Amino acid sequence: MRLSFIYPIVLWLLLLLPLLWAFSAATYRVQVARLGWPRFALLLTLRSVALAALVLALAGTQLVRPVDNLTVVFLVDGSDSVAPAQRDQAVATVNAALANRREGDQAAVVLFGQNALVERAPGDFSTLGRLTSTVLSSRTNIEEAIQLGLALFPADSQKRLVLVSDGRENEGRAIESAQLARARGVPIDVLQTTSEDGADVLVRALDAPAVAREGQEVRLTARIESRIATSGRLQIFNNNELVGTQEVQIQPGSNDVPITVTGGEAGFDRFEVRLEAQGDTQPLNT
């Protein structure tokens, strides 16, 4: 066990004790003559103990008992910049760490994007499984993830944060939360996920006629660019409503895919396509 102080600067007030003793020594003969030696010694002892106790209380004195158990909070990046393959790799990393934990150790998992959510609260579990939390994935806010991770730690264990991310922060300031963790004595380990730039499939453009008659078939052209030969499925939306799907075969380079849909009622229509391609490691641009 050891003593810990919340406000250690207050301990300077213990220098008042020598002043108390010096004053008592200066008035020793008068006080002994008036009180007698036993009462003088007792009063000096009580005053010294009371002053020391007051200073220790103001300093926030704590008796800290060392603990061997460890709680690890894994911060897993769930933003769009992390491909599903890399997210699966992150889950595998967490499971490997859980398999090697000591008896009595605990773990927790935070999934984050623009916001941060508790995927698993601190506990004794051996497998993470599939991530089920749904975060706002358009942004990456590491600062909020670290803050939530710090809030999850129990008081009676050692603490460690493990950040699994590509590090592409575009919201918040992770450095400020990292400094807070350092001030609390919580180390942060970083496992950086790597993207696979060689397998990228994206929808470059969608061409549509400027004018079409009501109820007429509308011919669209989706321009798909790919670095690999693969297959996929196009989802076609009209004014944010799914109106059809189409299987496509994709070759390396530029691919023009014709799409035929039925026009809506009179007015402006907004067409959109989304592509789910096998082997694509950059879901942000599908």
Side-chain angles (χ1 to χ4, degrees):
M1 295 185 181
R2 62 182 179 88
L3 288 177
S4 174
F5 306 97
I6 300 176
Y7 308 107
I9 194 172
V10 178
L11 295 176
W12 285 102
L13 292 177
L14 290 175
L15 294 177
L16 293 174
L17 284 173
L19 295 178
L20 174 63
W21 299 332
F23 174 78
S24 298
T27 59
Y28 172 76
R29 292 182 178 180
V30 175
Q31 295 191 55
V32 169
R34 182 168 59 89
L35 301 173
W37 166 250
R39 292 185 62 187
F40 170 77
L42 177 61
L43 286 175
L44 179 59
T45 301
L46 291 177
R47 288 169 181 169
S48 300
V49 170
L51 178 58
L54 177 61
V55 173
L56 292 176
L58 292 175
T61 306
Q62 299 175 331
L63 185 62
V64 180
R65 183 182 64 184
V67 293
D68 295 328
N69 295 340
L70 173 67
T71 299
V72 180
V73 178
F74 296 91
L75 312 176
V76 180
D77 193 339
S79 63
D80 287 337
S81 62
V82 178
Q86 278 67 56
R87 199 166 299 129
D88 292 342
Q89 182 181 3
V91 172
T93 300
V94 174
N95 285 331
L98 293 175
N100 294 324
R101 76 190 192 287
R102 299 176 305 173
E103 184 179 356
D105 289 349
Q106 297 186 84
V109 179
V110 170
L111 185 66
F112 71 93
Q114 183 176 357
N115 59 334
L117 298 174
V118 179
E119 175 73 19
R120 297 290 292 270
D124 181 14
F125 56 93
S126 58
T127 304
L128 175 58
R130 188 173 64 90
L131 298 172
T132 58
S133 298
T134 302
V135 297
L136 301 175
S137 58
S138 60
R139 311 289 288 176
T140 302
N141 191 333
I142 300 176
E143 177 185 9
E144 185 168 338
I146 294 176
Q147 290 177 347
L148 179 56
L150 291 174
L152 290 178
F153 284 118
D156 56 346
S157 75
Q158 299 183 42
K159 305 167 179 62
R160 181 176 294 275
L161 290 172
V162 177
L163 174 63
V164 187
S165 172
D166 59 5
R168 298 178 181 178
E169 178 186 40
N170 50 26
E171 187 166 312
R173 289 179 55 84
I175 187 64
E176 295 182 359
S177 292
Q179 291 172 347
L180 176 61
R182 180 179 180 181
R184 295 185 180 181
V186 180
I188 302 178
D189 296 329
V190 179
L191 300 178
Q192 186 169 8
T193 59
T194 56
S195 60
E196 300 174 4
D197 294 335
D200 189 12
V201 185
L202 62 91
V203 178
R204 176 64 67 184
L206 177 64
D207 297 329
V211 179
R213 293 183 179 181
E214 183 177 353
Q216 175 186 352
E217 286 190 344
V218 179
R219 297 185 181 276
L220 312 175
T221 301
R223 184 167 297 112
I224 300 173
E225 293 186 3
S226 176
R227 295 178 179 174
I228 58 173
T230 185
S231 61
R233 184 180 65 168
L234 277 174
Q235 295 179 316
I236 303 98
F237 295 83
N238 184 359
N239 297 324
N240 295 322
E241 180 181 351
L242 181 65
V243 295
T245 60
Q246 182 173 325
E247 301 296 325
V248 293
Q249 295 295 322
I250 303 170
Q251 299 301 321
S254 181
N255 300 259
D256 288 341
V257 178
I259 304 170
T260 302
V261 296
T262 302
E265 299 177 354
F268 291 98
D269 288 329
R270 181 178 182 273
F271 292 100
E272 177 185 358
V273 294
R274 299 176 188 173
L275 174 64
E276 297 177 356
Q278 298 292 329
D280 182 25
T281 62
Q282 298 292 330
L284 184 62
N285 54 25
T286 56

